[in-house]
Amino acid sequence: MQEGPEPELFWESTYAIVIALMTHFPDRDPTKVGINELAEMIELLPNFSDDPAMVTERILMDIQIVWYEEASNL
């Protein structure tokens, strides 16, 4: 685990966003989170620094896939 402050998060920071989601929403199942809810959850992350209007469905789907893969490895 990285020491020090968490890095700023941008839409393209897929893996960093997934780690932050798993840290801040540990009880959430990625298979039960819709695309709109996922966007809201990401925007609530403390170090999220990107423009919410810049997200696309493809970006959110990529994040959700990686989140599922990481959560399945636990």
Side-chain angles (χ1 to χ4, degrees), residues 37-55:
E37 183 180 8
L38 178 58
E40 292 171 6
M41 290 169 66
I42 293 168
E43 292 165 21
L44 289 173
L45 293 171
N47 292 336
F48 182 73
S49 301
D50 213 339
D51 181 355
M54 299 300 293
V55 72

Side-chain angles (χ1 to χ4, degrees), residues 8 15 23 60-61 69:
E8 284 187 307
Y15 190 75
T23 300
L60 291 170
M61 289 172 58
E69 290 170 350

